[in-house]
Amino acid sequence: RPYGKLTVRVVMVAGEGDRYVSTRAHSARLHRLLPSSRLLLSPHSGHMVHHSDLPLVLRAVDSAASPVVPAGA
């Protein structure tokens, strides 16, 4: 799949203790395929990061919604 061609901002949040979806096999792999993506990991969360680490999720939303500042500006 041509994930590397995506031009939209991507911010992912994953729980390091997720027992249902492997953070390394899925989130980290997708992060490597998307050069401009950000991956925020919650060290004490599992699959339901939005319940267990709301501040991190809100930080991800703020990051995705903030204006892009061109390099050198």
Side-chain angles (χ1 to χ4, degrees):
R1 297 189 172 162
Y3 293 120
K5 293 181 180 181
L6 289 176
T7 58
V8 297
R9 185 179 308 187
V10 176
V11 181
M12 299 175 282
V13 179
E16 290 183 355
D18 194 330
R19 294 180 299 181
Y20 299 101
V21 178
S22 168
T23 301
R24 182 177 32 227
H26 297 284
S27 306
R29 180 176 166 266
L30 182 57
H31 176 55
R32 287 190 303 273
L33 293 172
L34 296 169
S36 61
S37 69
R38 291 190 63 207
L39 175 59
L40 305 177
L41 296 174
S42 178
H44 305 293
S45 296
H47 192 69
M48 303 292 279
V49 181
H50 56 290
H51 288 287
S52 58
D53 198 346
L54 186 58
L56 180 67
V57 173
L58 293 175
R59 197 167 84 220
V61 171
D62 286 344
S63 174
S66 66
V68 175
V69 177

Short mmCIF file of all heavy atoms in Angstrom, two decimals:
data_model
loop_
_atom_site.label_atom_id
_atom_site.label_comp_id
_atom_site.label_asym_id
_atom_site.label_seq_id
_atom_site.Cartn_x
_atom_site.Cartn_y
_atom_site.Cartn_z
N ARG A 1 0.83 -1.18 0.00
CA ARG A 1 0.00 0.00 0.00
C ARG A 1 0.88 1.24 0.00
O ARG A 1 1.92 1.27 0.64
CB ARG A 1 -0.91 0.00 1.20
CG ARG A 1 -1.87 -1.18 1.16
CD ARG A 1 -2.89 -1.06 2.22
NE ARG A 1 -3.86 -2.11 1.99
CZ ARG A 1 -4.70 -2.53 2.87
NH1 ARG A 1 -4.70 -2.01 4.07
NH2 ARG A 1 -5.55 -3.47 2.59
N PRO A 2 0.44 2.28 -0.67
CA PRO A 2 1.27 3.49 -0.80
C PRO A 2 1.14 4.46 0.36
O PRO A 2 0.89 5.65 0.18
CB PRO A 2 0.75 4.09 -2.11
CG PRO A 2 -0.69 3.71 -2.14
CD PRO A 2 -0.75 2.35 -1.51
N TYR A 3 1.33 3.99 1.58
CA TYR A 3 1.20 4.88 2.74
C TYR A 3 2.18 6.03 2.67
O TYR A 3 1.88 7.14 3.10
CB TYR A 3 1.43 4.10 4.04
CG TYR A 3 0.36 3.08 4.33
CD1 TYR A 3 0.69 1.74 4.45
CD2 TYR A 3 -0.96 3.45 4.50
CE1 TYR A 3 -0.28 0.79 4.73
CE2 TYR A 3 -1.93 2.52 4.78
CZ TYR A 3 -1.59 1.19 4.89
OH TYR A 3 -2.56 0.26 5.17
N GLY A 4 3.35 5.81 2.15
CA GLY A 4 4.37 6.84 2.09
C GLY A 4 3.99 8.02 1.22
O GLY A 4 4.61 9.07 1.29
N LYS A 5 2.96 7.87 0.39
CA LYS A 5 2.53 8.97 -0.48
C LYS A 5 1.50 9.87 0.19
O LYS A 5 1.13 10.89 -0.38
CB LYS A 5 1.96 8.40 -1.77
CG LYS A 5 2.99 7.70 -2.62
CD LYS A 5 2.39 7.17 -3.90
CE LYS A 5 3.45 6.47 -4.73
NZ LYS A 5 2.90 5.96 -5.99
N LEU A 6 1.04 9.51 1.37
CA LEU A 6 0.06 10.34 2.06
C LEU A 6 0.67 11.69 2.40
O LEU A 6 1.81 11.78 2.84
CB LEU A 6 -0.42 9.67 3.34
CG LEU A 6 -1.32 8.46 3.18
CD1 LEU A 6 -1.63 7.85 4.54
CD2 LEU A 6 -2.61 8.83 2.48
N THR A 7 -0.10 12.74 2.21
CA THR A 7 0.39 14.08 2.51
C THR A 7 -0.36 14.72 3.67
O THR A 7 -0.09 15.87 4.00
CB THR A 7 0.26 14.98 1.26
OG1 THR A 7 -1.11 15.02 0.86
CG2 THR A 7 1.14 14.46 0.13
N VAL A 8 -1.30 14.01 4.26
CA VAL A 8 -2.03 14.54 5.41
C VAL A 8 -1.23 14.33 6.68
O VAL A 8 -0.38 13.45 6.77
CB VAL A 8 -3.43 13.89 5.56
CG1 VAL A 8 -4.29 14.20 4.36
CG2 VAL A 8 -3.30 12.40 5.76
N ARG A 9 -1.51 15.16 7.66
CA ARG A 9 -0.84 15.03 8.95
C ARG A 9 -1.41 13.80 9.67
O ARG A 9 -2.62 13.62 9.75
CB ARG A 9 -1.08 16.27 9.79
CG ARG A 9 -0.33 16.25 11.09
CD ARG A 9 -0.55 17.49 11.88
NE ARG A 9 -0.28 18.65 11.04
CZ ARG A 9 -0.27 19.88 11.49
NH1 ARG A 9 -0.51 20.13 12.74
NH2 ARG A 9 -0.02 20.88 10.69
N VAL A 10 -0.55 12.97 10.19
CA VAL A 10 -0.97 11.77 10.90
C VAL A 10 -0.32 11.76 12.28
O VAL A 10 0.89 11.84 12.40
CB VAL A 10 -0.57 10.48 10.13
CG1 VAL A 10 -0.93 9.24 10.93
CG2 VAL A 10 -1.22 10.46 8.76
N VAL A 11 -1.16 11.69 13.31
CA VAL A 11 -0.68 11.57 14.68
C VAL A 11 -1.37 10.35 15.26
O VAL A 11 -2.59 10.27 15.30
CB VAL A 11 -1.01 12.82 15.52
CG1 VAL A 11 -0.45 12.65 16.93
CG2 VAL A 11 -0.46 14.08 14.87
N MET A 12 -0.58 9.37 15.68
CA MET A 12 -1.12 8.12 16.21
C MET A 12 -0.84 8.03 17.70
O MET A 12 0.18 8.51 18.17
CB MET A 12 -0.47 6.93 15.50
CG MET A 12 -0.74 6.90 14.01
SD MET A 12 0.13 5.57 13.18
CE MET A 12 1.76 6.26 13.07
N VAL A 13 -1.77 7.40 18.40
CA VAL A 13 -1.61 7.17 19.83
C VAL A 13 -1.78 5.67 20.05
O VAL A 13 -2.71 5.05 19.52
CB VAL A 13 -2.68 7.94 20.64
CG1 VAL A 13 -2.52 7.65 22.12
CG2 VAL A 13 -2.59 9.42 20.37
N ALA A 14 -0.88 5.09 20.83
CA ALA A 14 -0.96 3.65 21.11
C ALA A 14 -0.54 3.39 22.54
O ALA A 14 0.27 4.14 23.11
CB ALA A 14 -0.06 2.88 20.15
N GLY A 15 -1.10 2.35 23.10
CA GLY A 15 -0.72 1.93 24.44
C GLY A 15 0.33 0.85 24.36
O GLY A 15 0.17 -0.14 23.63
N GLU A 16 1.40 1.02 25.10
CA GLU A 16 2.48 0.03 25.07
C GLU A 16 2.05 -1.31 25.65
O GLU A 16 2.64 -2.34 25.34
CB GLU A 16 3.71 0.57 25.80
CG GLU A 16 4.39 1.70 25.05
CD GLU A 16 5.64 2.19 25.74
OE1 GLU A 16 5.97 1.73 26.85
OE2 GLU A 16 6.31 3.06 25.15
N GLY A 17 1.02 -1.31 26.47
CA GLY A 17 0.56 -2.55 27.08
C GLY A 17 -0.63 -3.17 26.38
O GLY A 17 -1.33 -4.00 26.97
N ASP A 18 -0.87 -2.80 25.12
CA ASP A 18 -2.02 -3.32 24.38
C ASP A 18 -1.87 -4.82 24.16
O ASP A 18 -0.90 -5.28 23.58
CB ASP A 18 -2.13 -2.60 23.03
CG ASP A 18 -3.46 -2.81 22.35
OD1 ASP A 18 -4.07 -3.88 22.54
OD2 ASP A 18 -3.88 -1.91 21.61
N ARG A 19 -2.85 -5.58 24.65
CA ARG A 19 -2.81 -7.04 24.50
C ARG A 19 -3.59 -7.51 23.29
O ARG A 19 -3.58 -8.70 22.96
CB ARG A 19 -3.34 -7.71 25.75
CG ARG A 19 -2.44 -7.46 26.96
CD ARG A 19 -2.98 -8.14 28.18
NE ARG A 19 -4.31 -7.60 28.47
CZ ARG A 19 -5.05 -7.98 29.50
NH1 ARG A 19 -4.62 -8.88 30.33
NH2 ARG A 19 -6.24 -7.45 29.70
N TYR A 20 -4.29 -6.59 22.61
CA TYR A 20 -5.11 -6.97 21.46
C TYR A 20 -4.43 -6.65 20.13
O TYR A 20 -4.56 -7.38 19.17
CB TYR A 20 -6.47 -6.27 21.52
CG TYR A 20 -7.24 -6.64 22.76
CD1 TYR A 20 -7.28 -5.79 23.85
CD2 TYR A 20 -7.89 -7.86 22.84
CE1 TYR A 20 -7.97 -6.14 25.00
CE2 TYR A 20 -8.58 -8.22 23.99
CZ TYR A 20 -8.62 -7.35 25.06
OH TYR A 20 -9.29 -7.71 26.20
N VAL A 21 -3.75 -5.52 20.09
CA VAL A 21 -3.06 -5.08 18.87
C VAL A 21 -1.61 -4.79 19.23
O VAL A 21 -1.33 -4.00 20.12
CB VAL A 21 -3.73 -3.80 18.29
CG1 VAL A 21 -2.98 -3.33 17.06
CG2 VAL A 21 -5.19 -4.04 17.98
N SER A 22 -0.71 -5.43 18.55
CA SER A 22 0.71 -5.24 18.83
C SER A 22 1.17 -3.84 18.41
O SER A 22 1.10 -3.50 17.23
CB SER A 22 1.54 -6.29 18.10
OG SER A 22 2.91 -5.97 18.14
N THR A 23 1.62 -3.08 19.38
CA THR A 23 2.11 -1.73 19.09
C THR A 23 3.29 -1.79 18.12
O THR A 23 3.37 -1.02 17.17
CB THR A 23 2.53 -1.02 20.39
OG1 THR A 23 1.39 -0.96 21.24
CG2 THR A 23 3.03 0.38 20.12
N ARG A 24 4.18 -2.73 18.33
CA ARG A 24 5.35 -2.85 17.46
C ARG A 24 4.96 -3.31 16.06
O ARG A 24 5.44 -2.76 15.06
CB ARG A 24 6.37 -3.81 18.08
CG ARG A 24 7.63 -3.94 17.25
CD ARG A 24 8.67 -4.84 17.89
NE ARG A 24 8.10 -5.92 18.67
CZ ARG A 24 8.48 -6.26 19.90
NH1 ARG A 24 9.48 -5.63 20.46
NH2 ARG A 24 7.91 -7.24 20.54
N ALA A 25 4.07 -4.28 15.96
CA ALA A 25 3.70 -4.84 14.66
C ALA A 25 2.81 -3.91 13.85
O ALA A 25 2.82 -3.96 12.62
CB ALA A 25 3.02 -6.19 14.83
N HIS A 26 2.04 -3.08 14.51
CA HIS A 26 1.09 -2.26 13.78
C HIS A 26 1.39 -0.76 13.87
O HIS A 26 1.69 -0.13 12.86
CB HIS A 26 -0.34 -2.54 14.27
CG HIS A 26 -0.76 -3.95 14.01
ND1 HIS A 26 -1.12 -4.40 12.77
CD2 HIS A 26 -0.82 -5.01 14.84
CE1 HIS A 26 -1.40 -5.69 12.83
NE2 HIS A 26 -1.23 -6.09 14.08
N SER A 27 1.32 -0.20 15.06
CA SER A 27 1.50 1.26 15.21
C SER A 27 2.91 1.70 14.81
O SER A 27 3.08 2.64 14.03
CB SER A 27 1.21 1.68 16.64
OG SER A 27 -0.06 1.25 17.05
N ALA A 28 3.92 1.05 15.34
CA ALA A 28 5.30 1.43 15.04
C ALA A 28 5.63 1.18 13.57
O ALA A 28 6.32 1.99 12.94
CB ALA A 28 6.27 0.68 15.95
N ARG A 29 5.10 0.11 13.03
CA ARG A 29 5.35 -0.20 11.62
C ARG A 29 4.71 0.87 10.73
O ARG A 29 5.35 1.36 9.79
CB ARG A 29 4.78 -1.57 11.28
CG ARG A 29 4.99 -1.97 9.84
CD ARG A 29 4.49 -3.40 9.60
NE ARG A 29 4.38 -3.66 8.20
CZ ARG A 29 3.26 -3.51 7.48
NH1 ARG A 29 2.15 -3.13 8.08
NH2 ARG A 29 3.25 -3.75 6.21
N LEU A 30 3.46 1.23 11.01
CA LEU A 30 2.80 2.27 10.22
C LEU A 30 3.54 3.60 10.37
O LEU A 30 3.71 4.34 9.40
CB LEU A 30 1.34 2.42 10.63
CG LEU A 30 0.52 3.43 9.84
CD1 LEU A 30 0.53 3.11 8.34
CD2 LEU A 30 -0.90 3.48 10.37
N HIS A 31 4.00 3.89 11.56
CA HIS A 31 4.77 5.12 11.80
C HIS A 31 6.03 5.15 10.92
O HIS A 31 6.38 6.19 10.36
CB HIS A 31 5.12 5.21 13.27
CG HIS A 31 6.00 6.35 13.65
ND1 HIS A 31 5.69 7.66 13.36
CD2 HIS A 31 7.18 6.39 14.29
CE1 HIS A 31 6.64 8.45 13.81
NE2 HIS A 31 7.56 7.69 14.38
N ARG A 32 6.69 4.02 10.79
CA ARG A 32 7.89 3.96 9.93
C ARG A 32 7.53 4.15 8.45
O ARG A 32 8.31 4.70 7.68
CB ARG A 32 8.62 2.63 10.11
CG ARG A 32 9.36 2.52 11.41
CD ARG A 32 10.27 1.30 11.47
NE ARG A 32 9.57 0.05 11.24
CZ ARG A 32 8.96 -0.69 12.17
NH1 ARG A 32 8.96 -0.28 13.43
NH2 ARG A 32 8.37 -1.81 11.86
N LEU A 33 6.34 3.71 8.05
CA LEU A 33 5.91 3.84 6.66
C LEU A 33 5.43 5.25 6.31
O LEU A 33 5.35 5.59 5.13
CB LEU A 33 4.79 2.84 6.35
CG LEU A 33 5.19 1.36 6.37
CD1 LEU A 33 3.95 0.49 6.25
CD2 LEU A 33 6.17 1.06 5.25
N LEU A 34 5.09 6.02 7.33
CA LEU A 34 4.62 7.39 7.13
C LEU A 34 5.68 8.36 7.64
O LEU A 34 5.73 8.66 8.83
CB LEU A 34 3.31 7.61 7.88
CG LEU A 34 2.12 6.78 7.42
CD1 LEU A 34 0.97 6.89 8.40
CD2 LEU A 34 1.68 7.21 6.03
N PRO A 35 6.55 8.83 6.78
CA PRO A 35 7.70 9.62 7.22
C PRO A 35 7.35 10.87 8.02
O PRO A 35 8.11 11.29 8.88
CB PRO A 35 8.41 10.00 5.92
CG PRO A 35 7.74 9.28 4.82
CD PRO A 35 6.49 8.66 5.34
N SER A 36 6.20 11.47 7.77
CA SER A 36 5.87 12.71 8.48
C SER A 36 4.91 12.47 9.66
O SER A 36 4.40 13.42 10.24
CB SER A 36 5.24 13.72 7.52
OG SER A 36 4.05 13.20 6.98
N SER A 37 4.70 11.22 10.02
CA SER A 37 3.78 10.92 11.11
C SER A 37 4.44 11.10 12.47
O SER A 37 5.66 11.15 12.59
CB SER A 37 3.26 9.49 10.99
OG SER A 37 4.28 8.56 11.24
N ARG A 38 3.59 11.19 13.49
CA ARG A 38 4.05 11.21 14.89
C ARG A 38 3.38 10.04 15.59
O ARG A 38 2.19 9.78 15.37
CB ARG A 38 3.64 12.50 15.58
CG ARG A 38 4.39 13.70 15.05
CD ARG A 38 4.15 14.92 15.90
NE ARG A 38 4.66 14.68 17.25
CZ ARG A 38 4.19 15.27 18.33
NH1 ARG A 38 3.21 16.13 18.24
NH2 ARG A 38 4.69 15.01 19.52
N LEU A 39 4.12 9.36 16.41
CA LEU A 39 3.58 8.26 17.20
C LEU A 39 3.80 8.59 18.67
O LEU A 39 4.92 8.75 19.12
CB LEU A 39 4.27 6.94 16.85
CG LEU A 39 3.88 5.73 17.70
CD1 LEU A 39 2.39 5.44 17.63
CD2 LEU A 39 4.69 4.51 17.28
N LEU A 40 2.70 8.71 19.40
CA LEU A 40 2.75 8.97 20.82
C LEU A 40 2.39 7.70 21.56
O LEU A 40 1.31 7.14 21.33
CB LEU A 40 1.78 10.10 21.19
CG LEU A 40 1.96 11.42 20.44
CD1 LEU A 40 0.89 12.41 20.85
CD2 LEU A 40 3.34 11.98 20.67
N LEU A 41 3.29 7.22 22.39
CA LEU A 41 3.07 5.97 23.12
C LEU A 41 2.76 6.26 24.58
O LEU A 41 3.43 7.06 25.22
CB LEU A 41 4.31 5.08 23.03
CG LEU A 41 4.67 4.59 21.63
CD1 LEU A 41 5.98 3.83 21.66
CD2 LEU A 41 3.56 3.71 21.07
N SER A 42 1.75 5.57 25.07
CA SER A 42 1.38 5.69 26.47
C SER A 42 1.95 4.47 27.19
O SER A 42 1.51 3.34 26.96
CB SER A 42 -0.14 5.72 26.62
OG SER A 42 -0.48 5.78 27.98
N PRO A 43 2.93 4.67 28.07
CA PRO A 43 3.61 3.54 28.70
C PRO A 43 2.74 2.73 29.66
O PRO A 43 3.01 1.56 29.89
CB PRO A 43 4.78 4.19 29.44
CG PRO A 43 4.38 5.60 29.63
CD PRO A 43 3.48 5.95 28.48
N HIS A 44 1.69 3.33 30.19
CA HIS A 44 0.87 2.64 31.19
C HIS A 44 -0.52 2.29 30.67
O HIS A 44 -1.40 1.97 31.46
CB HIS A 44 0.75 3.50 32.45
CG HIS A 44 2.09 3.90 33.00
ND1 HIS A 44 2.97 2.99 33.54
CD2 HIS A 44 2.71 5.10 33.04
CE1 HIS A 44 4.06 3.62 33.92
NE2 HIS A 44 3.94 4.90 33.62
N SER A 45 -0.71 2.35 29.36
CA SER A 45 -2.03 2.08 28.77
C SER A 45 -2.00 0.81 27.95
O SER A 45 -0.95 0.38 27.47
CB SER A 45 -2.47 3.24 27.88
OG SER A 45 -2.65 4.40 28.64
N GLY A 46 -3.20 0.29 27.77
CA GLY A 46 -3.38 -0.86 26.89
C GLY A 46 -4.16 -0.42 25.66
O GLY A 46 -3.88 0.63 25.08
N HIS A 47 -5.16 -1.19 25.30
CA HIS A 47 -5.92 -0.96 24.08
C HIS A 47 -6.81 0.28 24.15
O HIS A 47 -7.08 0.90 23.13
CB HIS A 47 -6.77 -2.20 23.78
CG HIS A 47 -7.37 -2.21 22.42
ND1 HIS A 47 -6.62 -2.35 21.28
CD2 HIS A 47 -8.66 -2.07 22.02
CE1 HIS A 47 -7.42 -2.31 20.23
NE2 HIS A 47 -8.67 -2.14 20.65
N MET A 48 -7.26 0.67 25.32
CA MET A 48 -8.21 1.77 25.48
C MET A 48 -7.50 3.05 25.94
O MET A 48 -7.81 3.62 26.97
CB MET A 48 -9.30 1.37 26.46
CG MET A 48 -10.05 0.11 26.06
SD MET A 48 -11.04 0.35 24.58
CE MET A 48 -12.46 1.12 25.28
N VAL A 49 -6.55 3.49 25.15
CA VAL A 49 -5.73 4.65 25.51
C VAL A 49 -6.58 5.88 25.79
O VAL A 49 -6.30 6.66 26.69
CB VAL A 49 -4.69 4.97 24.41
CG1 VAL A 49 -3.82 6.15 24.78
CG2 VAL A 49 -3.85 3.76 24.10
N HIS A 50 -7.65 6.03 25.04
CA HIS A 50 -8.49 7.22 25.20
C HIS A 50 -9.19 7.25 26.57
O HIS A 50 -9.64 8.30 27.01
CB HIS A 50 -9.52 7.32 24.07
CG HIS A 50 -10.39 6.13 23.92
ND1 HIS A 50 -9.92 4.92 23.45
CD2 HIS A 50 -11.69 5.96 24.18
CE1 HIS A 50 -10.91 4.05 23.43
NE2 HIS A 50 -12.00 4.65 23.86
N HIS A 51 -9.24 6.11 27.26
CA HIS A 51 -9.79 6.08 28.61
C HIS A 51 -8.70 6.21 29.67
O HIS A 51 -8.92 6.82 30.71
CB HIS A 51 -10.53 4.75 28.86
CG HIS A 51 -11.83 4.66 28.15
ND1 HIS A 51 -12.95 5.36 28.53
CD2 HIS A 51 -12.19 3.93 27.07
CE1 HIS A 51 -13.94 5.08 27.72
NE2 HIS A 51 -13.51 4.22 26.82
N SER A 52 -7.56 5.64 29.40
CA SER A 52 -6.52 5.57 30.44
C SER A 52 -5.48 6.69 30.38
O SER A 52 -4.77 6.92 31.35
CB SER A 52 -5.81 4.22 30.37
OG SER A 52 -5.25 4.02 29.09
N ASP A 53 -5.37 7.37 29.24
CA ASP A 53 -4.38 8.46 29.13
C ASP A 53 -4.96 9.60 28.29
O ASP A 53 -4.45 9.94 27.22
CB ASP A 53 -3.09 7.92 28.51
CG ASP A 53 -1.90 8.84 28.75
OD1 ASP A 53 -2.10 10.01 29.15
OD2 ASP A 53 -0.76 8.40 28.52
N LEU A 54 -6.03 10.18 28.80
CA LEU A 54 -6.71 11.26 28.08
C LEU A 54 -5.78 12.44 27.79
O LEU A 54 -5.84 13.00 26.69
CB LEU A 54 -7.96 11.71 28.84
CG LEU A 54 -8.83 12.73 28.13
CD1 LEU A 54 -9.30 12.22 26.78
CD2 LEU A 54 -10.00 13.12 29.01
N PRO A 55 -4.91 12.85 28.70
CA PRO A 55 -4.00 13.97 28.36
C PRO A 55 -3.15 13.70 27.12
O PRO A 55 -2.94 14.59 26.30
CB PRO A 55 -3.13 14.11 29.61
CG PRO A 55 -3.99 13.59 30.72
CD PRO A 55 -4.76 12.44 30.11
N LEU A 56 -2.69 12.47 26.94
CA LEU A 56 -1.89 12.14 25.76
C LEU A 56 -2.75 12.20 24.50
O LEU A 56 -2.32 12.72 23.47
CB LEU A 56 -1.26 10.75 25.90
CG LEU A 56 -0.40 10.30 24.73
CD1 LEU A 56 0.85 11.16 24.63
CD2 LEU A 56 -0.03 8.84 24.88
N VAL A 57 -3.97 11.70 24.58
CA VAL A 57 -4.88 11.73 23.43
C VAL A 57 -5.20 13.18 23.06
O VAL A 57 -5.18 13.53 21.87
CB VAL A 57 -6.16 10.92 23.73
CG1 VAL A 57 -7.18 11.10 22.61
CG2 VAL A 57 -5.82 9.45 23.91
N LEU A 58 -5.46 14.02 24.05
CA LEU A 58 -5.74 15.42 23.77
C LEU A 58 -4.53 16.12 23.17
O LEU A 58 -4.66 16.97 22.28
CB LEU A 58 -6.20 16.13 25.04
CG LEU A 58 -7.57 15.67 25.57
CD1 LEU A 58 -7.88 16.35 26.88
CD2 LEU A 58 -8.66 15.90 24.54
N ARG A 59 -3.34 15.76 23.63
CA ARG A 59 -2.11 16.32 23.04
C ARG A 59 -1.99 15.92 21.57
O ARG A 59 -1.59 16.72 20.72
CB ARG A 59 -0.90 15.85 23.84
CG ARG A 59 0.32 16.70 23.55
CD ARG A 59 1.42 16.46 24.56
NE ARG A 59 2.20 15.30 24.15
CZ ARG A 59 2.66 14.38 24.97
NH1 ARG A 59 2.44 14.45 26.26
NH2 ARG A 59 3.36 13.37 24.51
N ALA A 60 -2.37 14.67 21.26
CA ALA A 60 -2.33 14.20 19.87
C ALA A 60 -3.32 14.98 19.01
O ALA A 60 -3.00 15.38 17.89
CB ALA A 60 -2.64 12.71 19.82
N VAL A 61 -4.53 15.20 19.53
CA VAL A 61 -5.53 15.97 18.78
C VAL A 61 -5.04 17.39 18.56
O VAL A 61 -5.14 17.93 17.45
CB VAL A 61 -6.89 15.95 19.53
CG1 VAL A 61 -7.87 16.92 18.88
CG2 VAL A 61 -7.46 14.54 19.56
N ASP A 62 -4.51 18.02 19.60
CA ASP A 62 -3.98 19.38 19.45
C ASP A 62 -2.86 19.42 18.42
O ASP A 62 -2.77 20.34 17.61
CB ASP A 62 -3.46 19.90 20.78
CG ASP A 62 -4.57 20.29 21.74
OD1 ASP A 62 -5.73 20.44 21.29
OD2 ASP A 62 -4.29 20.41 22.96
N SER A 63 -2.00 18.43 18.45
CA SER A 63 -0.89 18.38 17.51
C SER A 63 -1.38 18.23 16.08
O SER A 63 -0.87 18.89 15.17
CB SER A 63 0.03 17.20 17.88
OG SER A 63 1.03 17.03 16.91
N ALA A 64 -2.38 17.39 15.89
CA ALA A 64 -2.92 17.18 14.54
C ALA A 64 -3.67 18.40 14.03
O ALA A 64 -3.68 18.68 12.83
CB ALA A 64 -3.83 15.96 14.54
N ALA A 65 -4.28 19.16 14.95
CA ALA A 65 -5.10 20.30 14.54
C ALA A 65 -4.33 21.61 14.45
O ALA A 65 -4.83 22.58 13.88
CB ALA A 65 -6.25 20.47 15.55
N SER A 66 -3.12 21.65 15.00
CA SER A 66 -2.36 22.91 14.99
C SER A 66 -1.87 23.22 13.58
O SER A 66 -1.60 22.32 12.80
CB SER A 66 -1.19 22.83 15.95
OG SER A 66 -0.25 21.89 15.51
N PRO A 67 -1.75 24.50 13.29
CA PRO A 67 -1.27 24.88 11.96
C PRO A 67 0.17 24.43 11.73
O PRO A 67 0.96 24.39 12.67
CB PRO A 67 -1.36 26.41 11.94
CG PRO A 67 -1.73 26.83 13.32
CD PRO A 67 -2.03 25.63 14.14
N VAL A 68 0.45 24.10 10.53
CA VAL A 68 1.81 23.70 10.15
C VAL A 68 2.63 24.97 9.93
O VAL A 68 2.23 25.86 9.20
CB VAL A 68 1.81 22.85 8.86
CG1 VAL A 68 3.22 22.54 8.42
CG2 VAL A 68 1.01 21.58 9.08
N VAL A 69 3.77 25.03 10.60
CA VAL A 69 4.67 26.17 10.43
C VAL A 69 5.75 25.76 9.44
O VAL A 69 6.48 24.80 9.68
CB VAL A 69 5.30 26.58 11.78
CG1 VAL A 69 6.28 27.73 11.57
CG2 VAL A 69 4.21 26.94 12.78
N PRO A 70 5.84 26.46 8.30
CA PRO A 70 6.87 26.10 7.31
C PRO A 70 8.27 26.20 7.91
O PRO A 70 8.54 27.05 8.75
CB PRO A 70 6.68 27.13 6.21
CG PRO A 70 5.32 27.73 6.44
CD PRO A 70 5.04 27.59 7.92
N ALA A 71 9.14 25.34 7.46
CA ALA A 71 10.54 25.35 7.92
C ALA A 71 11.16 26.71 7.59
O ALA A 71 10.96 27.26 6.53
CB ALA A 71 11.31 24.24 7.25
N GLY A 72 11.87 27.24 8.57
CA GLY A 72 12.54 28.51 8.38
C GLY A 72 11.66 29.72 8.65
O GLY A 72 12.09 30.85 8.48
N ALA A 73 10.42 29.48 9.07
CA ALA A 73 9.50 30.61 9.32
C ALA A 73 9.68 31.13 10.73
O ALA A 73 10.14 30.52 11.61
CB ALA A 73 8.06 30.17 9.12
#
